[in-house]
Amino acid sequence: MRHDNVITSKQLSREDIETILDRAAEIDADPSAVANAYPETILGLLFFEPSTRTKLSFETAMKRLGGNVIDIGSIESSSVKKGETLADTVRVIEGYADALVVRHPKQGSATMAAEFVDVPLINAGDGAGHHPTQTLLDLYTIRENAGLKDLSIGIMGDLKYGRTVHSLAYALSNFDAHQHFISPESLQLPREVVFDLHQEGASVREHESLGEILSTLDVLYVTRIQRERFPDENEYQKIAGEYQIDMNTLEAASDDLTVMHPLPRVDEIAPEIDETAHAAYFEQAHNGVPVRMALLDLLLGDAQ
Amino acid sequence: MRHDNVITSKQLSREDIETILDRAAEIDADPSAVANAYPETILGLLFFEPSTRTKLSFETAMKRLGGNVIDIGSIESSSVKKGETLADTVRVIEGYADALVVRHPKQGSATMAAEFVDVPLINAGDGAGHHPTQTLLDLYTIRENAGLKDLSIGIMGDLKYGRTVHSLAYALSNFDAHQHFISPESLQLPREVVFDLHQEGASVREHESLGEILSTLDVLYVTRIQRERFPDENEYQKIAGEYQIDMNTLEAASDDLTVMHPLPRVDEIAPEIDETAHAAYFEQAHNGVPVRMALLDLLLGDAQ
Amino acid sequence: MRHDNVITSKQLSREDIETILDRAAEIDADPSAVANAYPETILGLLFFEPSTRTKLSFETAMKRLGGNVIDIGSIESSSVKKGETLADTVRVIEGYADALVVRHPKQGSATMAAEFVDVPLINAGDGAGHHPTQTLLDLYTIRENAGLKDLSIGIMGDLKYGRTVHSLAYALSNFDAHQHFISPESLQLPREVVFDLHQEGASVREHESLGEILSTLDVLYVTRIQRERFPDENEYQKIAGEYQIDMNTLEAASDDLTVMHPLPRVDEIAPEIDETAHAAYFEQAHNGVPVRMALLDLLLGDAQ
């Protein structure tokens, strides 16, 4: 892989993705082989927005490679509050750390930040923009459970605002997946995303109801419909309810259906599904560690 | 010791306790023998309530064993704020960490959390429930200073709301200690705790004044009387004043009296006592490290 | 160096300073030589005021020496909120850590804290008091860029409230520097500082305008003029504008002029200067790491 920074999943070729997923699988199979690979490496975490699993999973990944992290902490206690620009902050932290992970509410911020530093920089979410490591762990989870070949995947819920969904859709277009998008009309994929996917030659179908295509799916990727998108609580309750799944819903599904969710969930997936073979969402969260270990290893190894 | 989780001090037999305290003493005597015992281990800290010394002392314990920690951080910046259940949160973090420490405001939460994960889980306080590692470090401090044999201990202050006190009392009933409880009537031990202690065959006496029994004590364990328990400030001042100690108070005590306090203190113990041989409260706080190292070692060693 | 604690820069002799800077230069030249020097050492960070770069740079320094840190975290989530005194807090954390770094809003607090603990303690800022490691990294940056011999330095901006500036001025008086202080009249150096500097035999000149002496300077140290010092926004805008620098300003400067700033900056230094050879402020921030590594090494090495 020849990248200094990982900013978008669009930037990664199919070959890049496979290199990362292959390395993640190797690490997953034998983590102790890399447990002391980067004993002198410090990863700088700059999360200008709240995050639990992404931040902890990067932290875990670096520590499982034998390295360490420093964390700029919350905005409240940082120089950012004194009016420092992102460009200045990253240039300071660059002097402390060997690589940076940045989450920032403004779209494009990671691209901008990367221009100011010489150490590898990974985008961990830039507002409505990109979140490539989420996409990589999603792809890894799909590959481990259903395979990426001839994949039929349903992506359901809030498709309008979810950067996770857009990034995944773009990445899947590299793998000739049959992509079904299931959502209420008001939360459909943005037209420009559909247009882009068609340009990429992706196989895209849109549905308002899961029932239409559930039986044909290998993977069902559920996302949360956020209350705050709806001016009216009743409207929210009615619509959200139609895109929640339980054991009853899954009766029409294949026995091999893999259910995914980026977490945290609220009530999109009934807890009764957790104990079934369908549930892959906790495994999906856990896969953040080997995937991010692989990515760090490839970036830091190249940098050495 | 054959436990996967440590949830309450009631669950620990006298033999369990002695195993842990013996191991703590070994570690205390030669910490460098275990300084690299768990180089690949990550401890997950989930503190859903503020804590300084408990959290830092677990963190220190894991690091002094050569391991590392990840910290879910404050609730404000976590997925919990987005409505994630504790059961989901622990199942995610389980994928990052080799053992978990959980503090949560709801009684019973640690028991519940432990049911959802396969890694060892330690309860670091569940509301009005239990806080077993505080009890273990209290016992360790008592054993080092006064011995647990034929012990006469006074426990003073807020005995009604203090989970620390209840856990310690239960544990001491394993060691045939003479337990004296000293408090204003309104902050007496709950009747059900007294009943349980009698059931366990504990030697329990209640007093309203320290003077009655001070001279007979080997250990005086002081706890804080919280202002917020009293509707009236004057009432608080009057009562709290009677359960504060200074050099004057200790004139009637044995020269060997050990004074303990779970800290933080406000004005229960006059600073003039700090420099005397009576004061064991800072040592007590420090003992959190070897005791938690011992506990982690026993849990993680068993898990390996 | 024979100090257990580093509280003020006044306490450091010229020889002490040179020992620290020499060690920092050695470490900077070959950091891997010390990458595993303190594998069993834990540094306790007690920041009772917000800080980004000072805290992260101490954390990085300790980790680059192979050690680890524990961080008491924000005040909000700590025992301090329950009314614990600083003396109690440091005595507890002393039991967890091998050295302490303390920042506290009250002047004199570091001196007081050091009296209560036996481990080495470093002052990372005590209100209007001292911040000796900032001074050390400033001196290191000056020495690397312009040399400390026959130095002509301009210190500009808020000279009244800036502890950074006062500490640096005292330290420079050890090195016979020609010190020029440039500020609006309302933000001049306090008279007692000027008096003290004269007592130390320092060469001190005060100016209201940079133009008067810019061409003679080897180093220009810029600090921020804080909006909140001015009751009137227009007054602030007018005055602050006169103490900001851009490429235009620097036309009158020597080609070798080194521009420094403790950061974060707001608009005191135009971004167009960042890419020039004048700019040393990011390097200055980065120098916090080798300088603090050197200081920790000298304190911990002595303690061993």
Side-chain angles (χ1 to χ4, degrees):
Chain A
M1 203 182 64
R2 295 195 313 189
H3 295 284
D4 295 329
N5 306 306
V6 176
I7 307 296
T8 74
S9 49
K10 277 187 188 174
Q11 131 199 15
L12 300 171
S13 67
R14 177 170 173 157
E15 203 190 329
D16 287 334
I17 292 171
E18 285 177 338
T19 301
I20 298 165
L21 303 194
D22 289 349
R23 186 76 185 113
E26 275 173 38
I27 287 172
D28 215 358
D30 184 13
S32 65
V34 292
N36 204 30
Y38 295 93
E40 298 181 18
T41 298
I42 292 178
L43 181 66
L45 305 176
L46 296 94
F47 279 72
F48 297 95
E49 268 191 335
S51 161
T52 302
R53 72 204 66 241
T54 302
K55 191 160 94 170
L56 276 187
S57 137
F58 268 112
E59 183 172 351
T60 304
M62 189 70 248
K63 289 177 173 174
R64 294 247 181 251
L65 289 166
N68 226 319
V69 307
I70 55 171
D71 179 357
I72 199 178
S74 71
I75 313 308
E76 288 310 297
S77 63
S78 82
S79 297
V80 176
K81 229 192 145 187
K82 298 182 191 164
E84 186 170 67
T85 64
L86 179 60
D88 276 17
T89 303
V90 294
R91 277 182 288 185
V92 169
I93 308 302
E94 175 188 27
Y96 306 159
D98 304 297
L100 303 179
V101 178
V102 177
R103 167 171 291 189
H104 194 279
K106 277 224 190 83
Q107 193 166 354
S109 52
T111 307
M112 187 275 277
E115 279 165 21
F116 283 92
V117 298
D118 291 325
V119 298
L121 185 147
I122 300 172
N123 181 10
D126 59 332
H130 296 274
H131 187 5
T133 58
Q134 177 71 44
T135 301
L136 288 166
L137 75 88
D138 288 343
L139 292 172
Y140 184 75
T141 307
I142 293 168
R143 196 174 78 163
E144 295 284 303
N145 283 276
L148 281 162
K149 211 175 160 227
D150 288 330
L151 175 72
S152 176
I153 184 170
I155 303 182
M156 182 168 84
D158 177 354
L159 308 181
K160 186 170 179 184
Y161 299 99
R163 69 180 165 204
T164 297
V165 163
H166 306 167
S167 289
L168 180 59
Y170 287 121
L172 285 170
S173 69
N174 279 316
F175 292 90
D176 308 319
H178 300 278
Q179 303 191 49
H180 298 272
F181 293 93
I182 307 127
S183 72
E185 205 189 338
S186 62
L187 293 175
Q188 275 184 341
L189 274 188
R191 289 308 90 189
E192 68 272 21
V193 173
V194 177
F195 181 79
D196 279 5
L197 290 172
H198 279 303
Q199 292 282 93
E200 299 285 327
S203 156
V204 171
R205 298 272 305 274
E206 297 183 88
H207 312 263
E208 280 201 44
S209 152
L210 175 61
E212 299 171 23
I213 40 89
L214 176 57
S215 63
T216 71
L217 300 178
D218 303 311
V219 172
L220 175 60
Y221 194 110
V222 183
T223 68
R224 186 151 53 102
I225 293 180
Q226 295 184 288
R227 192 171 255 109
E228 52 269 38
R229 303 290 183 212
F230 292 83
D232 185 77
E233 174 70 19
N234 289 336
E235 183 72 7
Y236 162 73
Q237 290 292 358
K238 207 188 89 199
I239 284 185
E242 286 176 34
Y243 299 89
Q244 290 165 0
I245 65 168
D246 55 20
M247 290 305 288
N248 213 27
T249 323
L250 295 192
E251 270 175 27
S254 151
D255 284 351
D256 293 334
L257 178 74
T258 297
V259 176
M260 295 173 62
H261 189 296
L263 302 182
R265 67 172 158 180
V266 179
D267 43 21
E268 303 84 65
I269 300 178
E272 63 192 13
I273 296 178
D274 298 0
E275 301 307 312
T276 71
H278 295 302
Y281 27 94
F282 292 116
E283 176 195 334
Q284 182 184 357
H286 301 172
N287 284 338
V289 177
V291 167
R292 292 182 172 109
M293 289 170 79
L295 190 63
L296 288 169
D297 183 41
L298 292 164
L299 286 172
L300 292 165
D302 279 7
Q304 278 179 341
Chain B
M1 205 183 64
R2 294 195 314 188
H3 294 285
D4 296 328
N5 306 305
V6 176
I7 307 296
T8 75
S9 49
K10 277 187 186 172
Q11 130 200 16
L12 300 171
S13 68
R14 178 171 172 156
E15 203 191 328
D16 288 335
I17 292 170
E18 286 177 337
T19 302
I20 297 165
L21 303 193
D22 289 349
R23 186 74 186 114
E26 276 173 38
I27 288 173
D28 216 359
D30 184 13
S32 65
V34 292
N36 203 30
Y38 295 93
E40 298 181 17
T41 298
I42 292 178
L43 181 65
L45 304 176
L46 296 92
F47 279 71
F48 297 95
E49 268 191 335
S51 161
T52 302
R53 70 205 67 242
T54 303
K55 192 160 93 170
L56 276 187
S57 135
F58 268 112
E59 183 173 349
T60 304
M62 189 70 250
K63 289 176 174 175
R64 294 247 181 253
L65 289 167
N68 225 319
V69 308
I70 54 171
D71 179 357
I72 199 177
S74 72
I75 313 308
E76 289 308 298
S77 63
S78 82
S79 297
V80 176
K81 229 194 147 185
K82 298 183 191 164
E84 186 170 69
T85 64
L86 179 60
D88 275 17
T89 303
V90 293
R91 278 182 286 185
V92 169
I93 308 302
E94 176 188 27
Y96 306 159
D98 304 297
L100 303 179
V101 178
V102 177
R103 168 171 289 189
H104 193 280
K106 278 223 190 84
Q107 193 166 354
S109 51
T111 308
M112 187 276 278
E115 281 165 20
F116 283 93
V117 298
D118 291 324
V119 298
L121 185 147
I122 300 172
N123 181 10
D126 59 331
H130 297 275
H131 187 6
T133 58
Q134 176 71 43
T135 301
L136 288 165
L137 74 89
D138 288 344
L139 292 171
Y140 183 75
T141 307
I142 294 168
R143 197 175 78 163
E144 294 284 304
N145 283 276
L148 282 162
K149 211 173 161 229
D150 287 328
L151 175 72
S152 176
I153 184 171
I155 304 183
M156 182 169 84
D158 177 354
L159 308 182
K160 187 170 179 183
Y161 299 100
R163 69 180 165 204
T164 297
V165 163
H166 306 167
S167 288
L168 179 60
Y170 287 121
L172 285 170
S173 70
N174 279 315
F175 292 91
D176 308 320
H178 301 278
Q179 303 191 47
H180 299 271
F181 295 93
I182 308 126
S183 71
E185 205 189 338
S186 63
L187 294 175
Q188 275 183 341
L189 274 189
R191 289 308 91 189
E192 68 272 21
V193 173
V194 177
F195 181 80
D196 279 3
L197 290 172
H198 280 302
Q199 291 282 94
E200 300 284 328
S203 156
V204 171
R205 299 272 303 274
E206 297 183 89
H207 312 263
E208 281 200 45
S209 152
L210 175 61
E212 298 171 23
I213 39 89
L214 177 56
S215 63
T216 72
L217 299 178
D218 303 311
V219 172
L220 176 60
Y221 195 111
V222 183
T223 68
R224 185 151 54 102
I225 292 181
Q226 296 184 288
R227 192 171 256 105
E228 52 268 37
R229 303 289 183 215
F230 292 83
D232 184 78
E233 174 71 17
N234 289 336
E235 183 72 6
Y236 161 74
Q237 291 291 357
K238 208 188 87 200
I239 285 186
E242 286 176 35
Y243 299 89
Q244 291 165 1
I245 65 168
D246 56 20
M247 288 306 287
N248 213 29
T249 323
L250 295 193
E251 269 175 27
S254 151
D255 285 351
D256 295 333
L257 177 74
T258 298
V259 176
M260 295 173 62
H261 190 297
L263 303 181
R265 67 171 158 179
V266 180
D267 43 21
E268 304 84 65
I269 301 178
E272 64 192 11
I273 296 179
D274 298 358
E275 300 308 312
T276 71
H278 296 301
Y281 26 94
F282 292 116
E283 176 195 334
Q284 182 184 357
H286 301 172
N287 285 338
V289 177
V291 167
R292 291 181 173 109
M293 288 171 79
L295 191 62
L296 288 169
D297 183 41
L298 291 164
L299 286 172
L300 292 164
D302 279 7
Q304 279 177 342
Chain C
M1 203 181 65
R2 294 194 314 188
H3 295 285
D4 295 328
N5 305 305
V6 176
I7 308 297
T8 73
S9 48
K10 278 187 186 172
Q11 129 199 18
L12 301 171
S13 68
R14 178 170 172 156
E15 203 191 328
D16 288 335
I17 292 171
E18 285 176 338
T19 302
I20 297 166
L21 303 193
D22 289 349
R23 185 74 185 114
E26 275 173 39
I27 287 173
D28 215 358
D30 184 14
S32 65
V34 292
N36 202 31
Y38 295 93
E40 298 181 18
T41 298
I42 292 178
L43 180 66
L45 305 176
L46 296 93
F47 279 72
F48 297 95
E49 268 191 335
S51 160
T52 301
R53 73 204 67 242
T54 302
K55 191 160 94 169
L56 276 187
S57 133
F58 268 113
E59 183 173 351
T60 304
M62 190 71 249
K63 289 177 174 174
R64 294 246 182 254
L65 289 167
N68 225 318
V69 307
I70 55 172
D71 179 357
I72 200 178
S74 71
I75 313 309
E76 288 309 298
S77 63
S78 82
S79 297
V80 177
K81 228 195 148 186
K82 298 181 189 163
E84 187 170 69
T85 64
L86 179 60
D88 276 16
T89 303
V90 294
R91 277 181 288 184
V92 169
I93 308 301
E94 175 188 28
Y96 305 159
D98 304 297
L100 303 179
V101 179
V102 177
R103 167 171 290 188
H104 194 279
K106 278 223 190 84
Q107 193 167 355
S109 52
T111 307
M112 187 276 276
E115 279 166 21
F116 283 92
V117 298
D118 291 325
V119 297
L121 186 147
I122 301 172
N123 181 10
D126 60 331
H130 297 274
H131 187 5
T133 58
Q134 176 72 43
T135 301
L136 288 166
L137 74 89
D138 288 344
L139 292 171
Y140 183 75
T141 307
I142 294 168
R143 196 174 80 163
E144 294 285 303
N145 283 275
L148 282 161
K149 211 175 161 229
D150 288 328
L151 175 72
S152 176
I153 184 171
I155 304 183
M156 181 168 85
D158 178 352
L159 308 181
K160 186 169 182 185
Y161 299 100
R163 68 180 165 205
T164 297
V165 163
H166 306 167
S167 288
L168 180 60
Y170 287 121
L172 285 169
S173 71
N174 279 315
F175 292 91
D176 308 319
H178 301 279
Q179 303 191 48
H180 298 273
F181 294 92
I182 309 125
S183 71
E185 205 187 339
S186 63
L187 294 175
Q188 276 184 341
L189 274 189
R191 290 306 91 189
E192 67 272 22
V193 174
V194 176
F195 181 81
D196 279 5
L197 290 172
H198 281 301
Q199 291 283 94
E200 298 285 327
S203 157
V204 171
R205 299 271 305 274
E206 296 182 89
H207 313 264
E208 281 201 44
S209 151
L210 176 61
E212 299 171 23
I213 39 89
L214 177 57
S215 63
T216 72
L217 299 178
D218 302 311
V219 172
L220 175 61
Y221 195 111
V222 183
T223 68
R224 186 150 54 101
I225 292 181
Q226 296 185 288
R227 191 171 258 106
E228 52 269 36
R229 302 290 183 213
F230 292 83
D232 184 78
E233 173 71 18
N234 288 337
E235 184 72 6
Y236 161 74
Q237 290 292 356
K238 206 189 90 198
I239 285 185
E242 286 175 34
Y243 299 89
Q244 292 165 359
I245 65 168
D246 55 19
M247 289 306 287
N248 213 27
T249 323
L250 294 192
E251 270 175 27
S254 151
D255 284 350
D256 293 334
L257 177 75
T258 297
V259 176
M260 295 173 62
H261 189 295
L263 302 183
R265 67 171 158 179
V266 180
D267 43 21
E268 302 84 66
I269 300 177
E272 63 192 12
I273 297 178
D274 298 359
E275 299 308 312
T276 70
H278 295 301
Y281 27 94
F282 291 116
E283 176 195 334
Q284 181 184 359
H286 301 172
N287 285 338
V289 176
V291 166
R292 291 182 172 108
M293 289 171 77
L295 191 63
L296 288 169
D297 183 41
L298 291 164
L299 285 172
L300 292 165
D302 279 7
Q304 278 178 341

